[in-house]
Amino acid sequence: MAATSVTSLSIGATASLNTKLNLFSQSKSASPRINSLKLQSFCGLKADSSLRCDSESSFLGKQSSAALWRHLAPSAQRENLNLCKSLQPQASYKVAVLGAAGGIGQPLALLIKMSPLVATLNLYDIANVKGVAADISHCNTPSKVQDFTGPSELANALKGVDVVVIPAGVPRKPGMTRDDLFNINAGIVKSLVEAVADNCPDAFIHIISNPVNSTVPIAAEVLKQKDEQIQELTIRTQNGGTEVVEAKAGAGSATLSMAYAAARFVESSLRALDGDSDVFECTFVESDLTELPFFASRVKLGKKGVEAFVTSDLHGLSEYEQKALEALKPELKASIEKGIAFAHKQAVAA
Ligand SMILES: NC(=O)C1=CN([C@@H]2O[C@H](COP(=O)(O)OP(=O)(O)OC[C@H]3O[C@@H](n4cnc5c(N)ncnc54)[C@H](O)[C@@H]3O)[C@@H](O)[C@H]2O)C=CC1
Ligand SMILES: O=C([O-])CC(=O)C(=O)O
């Protein structure tokens, strides 16, 4: 039997594009490290709009909850916080269970459905998840339950998710070691974590699929590789024009790809003028998406030009993206001001 000092491991806030890889393990006997602001997370079974601090129905149980409270109360007082007030849970988080139709996935989904902190519970599996979701959705707690079946629906299951739990894969049969599961479960975990990195890179990821001593490192590696790929891709995108100038070695800059992009924009403009209500393009344009007066934005085109901005594009940025956005602002601001000053000067001179 493979050595397992751990029974479940978690990876927190992983592919946040800044190598912020945070691994920690929980043995069955380990006591949880608790941040007072996160105390409400431990009140999961209480599906009520308000919680008592000595909640008996916490996942921690009555004694542990009381011990936790004794531990936290002095520091709460020191910080002059009314912890009880801060324990009002709000159903605002999105959780996904991948492998939700399985032996662990089903009761896990049911238990998560009890949490007052969950607004949306996405249940994903390669089969049989519709019935599970329908069944669980009849529990009258606040969260909305959605089902997703098969790889084509995986990305949608993960969009905007805050916490992902992965009990997908095969379990042991008598006579098997956990390591015997490696050949099947390694690939499953790899592909699921790749999808997490692509769709909710800042989510907490909890891996249950065995052998965890290998599947957690697989997940960590997948996330690191994705991180490197994103950085490479960002630099390549920033230098796209230079790549062509250098390849043409003095014979000009981008012409074919630019003509293609412009022709596509013309076609989109014509469709918008023609009344098509589903025309979206990216363009550097006067915009109030940021504090800068112009910004490259995805816009909806209509008969009168730009009809709306897709504001959601700037929501949920990873730390890497947020830093990159802040870093570009001074240079972009200077370029915009230079253009405006030039136009003013010309107007005065005329
Ligand atoms: N970390 C730990 O302490 C423990 C880990 N486990 C492990 O948890 C895993 C799940 O165990 P059970 O729920 O009993 O197994 P199960 O066979 O009942 O459920 C697994 C589920 O995963 C789904 N699945 C398979 N491939 C998938 C994919 N590519 N994407 C999404 N879903 C997929 C299956 O359709 C099934 O619904 C096993 O690997 C088991 O060894 C089990 C107990 C404790
Ligand atoms: O023994 C298994 O295969 C499942 C497991 O990891 C556990 O129960 O600790």
Side-chain angles (χ1 to χ4, degrees), residues 7 28 172 178 181 210:
T7 55
K28 273 179 177 161
R172 283 202 290 168
R178 294 184 179 98
L181 305 173
N210 269 324

PDB file of all heavy atoms in Angstrom, residues 7 28 172 178 181 210, ligand 2:
ATOM      1  N   THR A   7      -4.621  12.414   3.642  1.00  0.00           N
ATOM      2  CA  THR A   7      -5.792  11.837   3.008  1.00  0.00           C
ATOM      3  C   THR A   7      -6.459  12.803   2.063  1.00  0.00           C
ATOM      4  O   THR A   7      -7.175  12.418   1.181  1.00  0.00           O
ATOM      5  CB  THR A   7      -6.824  11.394   4.057  1.00  0.00           C
ATOM      6  OG1 THR A   7      -7.118  12.503   4.865  1.00  0.00           O
ATOM      7  CG2 THR A   7      -6.309  10.251   4.867  1.00  0.00           C
ATOM      8  N   LYS A  28      -5.993  13.730   8.573  1.00  0.00           N
ATOM      9  CA  LYS A  28      -7.284  13.583   9.244  1.00  0.00           C
ATOM     10  C   LYS A  28      -7.233  14.154  10.655  1.00  0.00           C
ATOM     11  O   LYS A  28      -8.215  14.605  11.182  1.00  0.00           O
ATOM     12  CB  LYS A  28      -7.687  12.117   9.254  1.00  0.00           C
ATOM     13  CG  LYS A  28      -8.446  11.760   7.977  1.00  0.00           C
ATOM     14  CD  LYS A  28      -8.833  10.325   7.938  1.00  0.00           C
ATOM     15  CE  LYS A  28      -9.654  10.032   6.681  1.00  0.00           C
ATOM     16  NZ  LYS A  28      -9.688   8.632   6.350  1.00  0.00           N
ATOM     17  N   ARG A 172     -10.299   2.642  -5.300  1.00  0.00           N
ATOM     18  CA  ARG A 172      -9.649   1.322  -5.184  1.00  0.00           C
ATOM     19  C   ARG A 172     -10.658   0.195  -5.092  1.00  0.00           C
ATOM     20  O   ARG A 172     -11.737   0.363  -4.549  1.00  0.00           O
ATOM     21  CB  ARG A 172      -8.817   1.288  -3.901  1.00  0.00           C
ATOM     22  CG  ARG A 172      -7.539   2.025  -4.015  1.00  0.00           C
ATOM     23  CD  ARG A 172      -6.579   1.518  -2.992  1.00  0.00           C
ATOM     24  NE  ARG A 172      -6.957   1.896  -1.627  1.00  0.00           N
ATOM     25  CZ  ARG A 172      -6.392   1.381  -0.552  1.00  0.00           C
ATOM     26  NH1 ARG A 172      -5.452   0.437  -0.687  1.00  0.00           N
ATOM     27  NH2 ARG A 172      -6.738   1.786   0.649  1.00  0.00           N
ATOM     28  N   ARG A 178      -3.265   2.492  -3.632  1.00  0.00           N
ATOM     29  CA  ARG A 178      -3.692   3.776  -4.210  1.00  0.00           C
ATOM     30  C   ARG A 178      -2.888   4.072  -5.478  1.00  0.00           C
ATOM     31  O   ARG A 178      -3.402   4.636  -6.431  1.00  0.00           O
ATOM     32  CB  ARG A 178      -3.519   4.902  -3.184  1.00  0.00           C
ATOM     33  CG  ARG A 178      -4.434   4.756  -1.989  1.00  0.00           C
ATOM     34  CD  ARG A 178      -4.324   5.925  -1.036  1.00  0.00           C
ATOM     35  NE  ARG A 178      -5.226   5.763   0.096  1.00  0.00           N
ATOM     36  CZ  ARG A 178      -4.862   5.297   1.291  1.00  0.00           C
ATOM     37  NH1 ARG A 178      -3.598   4.962   1.513  1.00  0.00           N
ATOM     38  NH2 ARG A 178      -5.746   5.160   2.247  1.00  0.00           N
ATOM     39  N   LEU A 181      -4.071   3.293  -8.929  1.00  0.00           N
ATOM     40  CA  LEU A 181      -5.045   4.172  -9.593  1.00  0.00           C
ATOM     41  C   LEU A 181      -4.368   5.233 -10.462  1.00  0.00           C
ATOM     42  O   LEU A 181      -5.020   5.934 -11.228  1.00  0.00           O
ATOM     43  CB  LEU A 181      -5.900   4.895  -8.535  1.00  0.00           C
ATOM     44  CG  LEU A 181      -6.616   3.995  -7.518  1.00  0.00           C
ATOM     45  CD1 LEU A 181      -7.267   4.860  -6.436  1.00  0.00           C
ATOM     46  CD2 LEU A 181      -7.677   3.147  -8.216  1.00  0.00           C
ATOM     47  N   ASN A 210      -7.347   9.984  -5.771  1.00  0.00           N
ATOM     48  CA  ASN A 210      -6.117   9.269  -5.401  1.00  0.00           C
ATOM     49  C   ASN A 210      -5.291   8.877  -6.621  1.00  0.00           C
ATOM     50  O   ASN A 210      -5.837   8.780  -7.719  1.00  0.00           O
ATOM     51  CB  ASN A 210      -6.490   8.001  -4.622  1.00  0.00           C
ATOM     52  CG  ASN A 210      -6.538   8.244  -3.130  1.00  0.00           C
ATOM     53  OD1 ASN A 210      -5.743   9.006  -2.600  1.00  0.00           O
ATOM     54  ND2 ASN A 210      -7.469   7.581  -2.465  1.00  0.00           N
TER      55      ASN A 210
HETATM   56  O1  LIG B   2      -8.150   3.987   0.860  1.00  0.00           O
HETATM   57  C1  LIG B   2      -8.586   4.510  -0.180  1.00  0.00           C
HETATM   58  O2  LIG B   2      -8.436   4.063  -1.320  1.00  0.00           O
HETATM   59  C2  LIG B   2      -9.344   5.787  -0.034  1.00  0.00           C
HETATM   60  C3  LIG B   2      -8.541   6.670   0.820  1.00  0.00           C
HETATM   61  O3  LIG B   2      -7.575   7.261   0.389  1.00  0.00           O
HETATM   62  C4  LIG B   2      -8.868   6.698   2.248  1.00  0.00           C
HETATM   63  O4  LIG B   2      -9.972   6.270   2.649  1.00  0.00           O
HETATM   64  O5  LIG B   2      -8.048   7.173   3.038  1.00  0.00           O
END
